[in-house]
Amino acid sequence: MALTGIQIFKLLPKTNCKECGVPTCLAFAMNLASGKAELDACPYVSDESREQLAEASAPPIRAVALGKGVRATKTGGETVLYRHEKTFYSPTPIAAMIGSDISESDLETKLNVWNAFQFERVGFNLRPELVALKDTGGDKDAFAAAAQTIAETSEFNLILMSEDAGVMAAGVEACKFKRPLIYAATEGNLDDFGALAKENDLPLAVKADSVEGLIPLTTKLDEMGLKDLVIDSGSREIQQSMKDQIVIRREALKSLNRALGFPTITFPCEMASNLDMETMIAAMHIAKYGGISVLSDFTGESLFPLLVERLNIFTDPQRPMTVTEGIYEIGTPDENSPILVTTNFALTYFIVSGEIEGSKVSTWLLIKDAEGLSVLTAWAAGKFSGDDVGMFVKKCGIMDKVKHTELVIPGYAAAIAGDVEEELPGWTITVGPREAAHIPAFLKSK
């Protein structure tokens, strides 16, 4: 049972050291009780107290690790209903389903195609993490063989799907080194699946026919010592599925209902007859509040927008994506290469640098710290003023690398040109394009 703030306070060192980020131990205790802080933030709590506080300091929704290797991920661990309150922590893993009756050659071909779906965006490698292997004929040998192929020949981790404990055991044995998710324990097979998950130390999905039906199942599994659970309310109708995700999240966070304090798994592939509709449903679940989303297939036009949406939603809104201030060499610039300057907003940097690379014109790109704001926003906020840009150019060291004195500023910051000229006497300040897409033509014309 969760402890109150006062109960937690009694177990803290009461030094008011402020190293946890709040002024007093009492304030920290209250934050801990409400799920707004983590116990690790206190450097002086004793081991004995830490053990007693373990439940109180755990996130209201348990974080569950999935898989091993380069695509290992986690789901859950959330502490708020809305990302602007703090942040969302665990990006929704995306899976595609394969039937166990697939031929070995078709499976290898599909895995090769799926593995190629990796997209670079603002410095991140965006890719799906999971393959859901579904038992389609009750053939445990075919199920195990497919599981082994996926585990050994691809980067993907697995969701093993079967209602037969014998088939599931064979699949687990074939790929347990990849830490697959077992799907799913139900009222009819709870003991067998629970024992299998516990014996192999694997995460277990629990399925019922309603949110209320999940509570006795997760309670019993918890009593068996199983903590790494993923829950499925069983709904395959879009509106009801949406309601279930919201009810589960609110029950876990607002009512501190530990029986529902687990990440969810959703199946857009079972809610629509085509991949386009599945993609829309998956987008809904990524936004609110699906823990794992399973599609029927991966295609670029479906997967890329989902991965970008996921990146946006699970980026901490209190910490803008930035790159380090400094001089960036695009291509092989020399003393005569053009000099461009822009802000350190990561998206701005990667778009601008990408367009410069595409132009094949080697360029010096100066990145000025503007607190992670885009050019127009930074200029409006006074974070990208002419004086500041001029001073940055003087101090960054670019003058030691070039012989010319021409600086290209972003088109959206044209208003600062005069102030930059005053700060850099003798320099020519050229206003560049407003849109990054016009940079290649601009550079080639110089």
Side-chain angles (χ1 to χ4, degrees):
M1 183 177 177
L3 302 177
T4 66
I6 297 300
Q7 289 172 322
I8 294 172
F9 175 67
K10 292 177 180 178
L11 296 170
L12 294 177
K14 305 180 185 67
T15 58
N16 295 335
C17 66
K18 301 180 179 64
E19 292 185 35
C20 61
V22 293
T24 66
C25 287
L26 180 59
F28 177 70
M30 294 302 178
N31 286 344
L32 200 61
S34 62
K36 297 178 180 178
E38 297 180 5
L39 184 58
D40 289 342
C42 177
Y44 303 115
V45 64
S46 68
D47 291 341
E48 181 181 353
S49 295
R50 187 179 297 277
E51 186 175 344
Q52 295 181 59
L53 290 169
E55 182 179 359
S57 62
I61 298 174
R62 183 173 178 83
V64 178
L66 302 171
K68 296 286 186 180
V70 296
R71 300 204 191 203
T73 186
K74 68 174 183 176
T75 182
E78 307 301 346
T79 60
V80 293
L81 278 173
Y82 308 107
R83 67 187 290 270
H84 65 264
E85 295 178 285
K86 190 176 183 182
T87 187
F88 290 165
Y89 288 102
S90 301
T92 305
I94 301 174
M97 190 178 292
I98 289 178
S100 61
D101 58 351
I102 189 172
S103 69
E104 185 175 351
S105 60
D106 287 346
L107 176 57
E108 291 178 357
T109 299
K110 188 174 285 288
L111 291 174
N112 287 334
V113 172
W114 287 358
N115 191 64
F117 290 125
Q118 302 188 45
F119 308 93
E120 289 293 330
R121 185 174 175 85
V122 293
F124 293 95
N125 182 274
L126 309 182
R127 57 193 178 187
E129 296 84 6
L130 298 167
V131 170
L133 177 63
K134 185 174 183 178
D135 171 26
T136 53
D139 185 338
K140 66 179 182 181
D141 293 332
F143 189 74
Q148 185 173 1
T149 298
I150 295 168
E152 293 182 352
T153 65
S154 78
E155 295 177 349
F156 288 103
N157 289 296
L158 291 103
I159 303 170
L160 298 179
M161 301 178 62
S162 178
E163 297 181 358
D164 187 305
V167 173
M168 183 62 72
V172 166
E173 186 61 31
C175 67
K176 62 183 177 182
F177 66 93
K178 271 296 198 67
R179 190 174 167 79
L181 171 65
I182 297 174
Y183 180 95
T186 63
E187 186 177 6
N189 64 20
L190 192 71
D191 291 334
D192 291 338
F193 273 49
L196 185 62
K198 186 172 184 179
E199 178 183 351
N200 293 280
D201 189 27
L202 296 177
L204 176 64
V206 185
K207 181 182 178 182
D209 56 5
S210 66
V211 172
E212 294 79 7
L214 287 166
I215 295 174
L217 303 183
T218 59
T219 301
K220 184 173 181 179
L221 290 168
D222 182 65
E223 292 170 353
M224 293 171 61
L226 290 163
K227 305 293 185 182
D228 287 342
L229 303 179
V230 175
I231 55 179
D232 177 6
S233 65
S235 175
R236 298 297 184 265
E237 191 276 323
I238 299 173
Q239 185 177 23
Q240 188 59 49
S241 177
M242 179 70 164
K243 289 181 179 178
D244 288 353
Q245 302 308 307
I246 295 171
V247 167
I248 290 170
R249 178 67 69 96
R250 291 190 66 86
E251 279 292 303
L253 298 186
K254 298 300 184 182
S255 301
L256 298 179
N257 186 340
R258 290 291 184 180
L260 294 174
F262 303 99
T264 62
I265 182 169
T266 63
F267 290 87
C269 59
E270 297 179 359
M271 300 182 194
S273 58
N274 61 78
L275 188 58
D276 290 345
M277 192 64 190
E278 287 178 32
T279 304
M280 294 175 63
I281 298 169
M284 175 189 78
H285 285 144
I286 289 171
K288 207 156 186 111
Y289 297 105
I292 302 170
S293 191
V294 183
L295 304 172
S296 62
D297 197 2
F298 288 144
T299 65
E301 61 270 23
S302 166
L303 191 57
F304 180 69
L306 291 177
L307 292 171
V308 172
E309 178 201 13
R310 184 176 75 174
L311 174 65
N312 290 339
I313 289 175
F314 287 88
T315 296
D316 188 344
Q318 301 176 39
R319 296 182 181 181
M321 292 187 295
T322 63
V323 293
T324 304
E325 182 179 84
I327 303 171
Y328 289 77
E329 299 180 12
I330 311 297
T332 55
D334 57 26
E335 58 191 16
N336 298 310
S337 298
I339 308 169
L340 275 65
V341 64
T342 190
T343 69
N344 70 330
F345 178 42
L347 187 59
T348 296
Y349 166 75
F350 284 104
I351 290 176
V352 170
S353 62
E355 294 293 346
I356 295 173
E357 288 178 1
S359 75
K360 307 298 182 184
V361 178
S362 294
T363 301
W364 300 101
L365 180 59
L366 308 186
I367 298 297
K368 183 190 177 302
D369 183 5
E371 299 182 9
L373 300 176
S374 65
V375 171
L376 189 59
T377 308
W379 169 74
K383 307 294 183 183
F384 197 72
S385 65
D387 293 345
D388 289 341
V389 170
M391 288 296 295
F392 167 64
V393 172
K394 286 180 181 178
K395 294 179 179 180
C396 72
I398 190 62
M399 293 179 175
D400 299 327
K401 299 179 181 292
V402 297
K403 287 186 176 180
H404 67 89
T405 54
E406 180 181 7
L407 176 69
V408 180
I409 63 173
Y412 278 113
I416 71 172
D419 291 335
V420 178
E421 286 178 344
E422 289 183 10
E423 192 64 39
L424 296 173
W427 278 64
T428 300
I429 308 303
T430 301
V431 178
R434 286 193 168 201
E435 303 298 334
H438 299 153
I439 288 177
F442 173 83
L443 290 175
K444 290 175 182 177
S445 68
K446 293 185 66 63

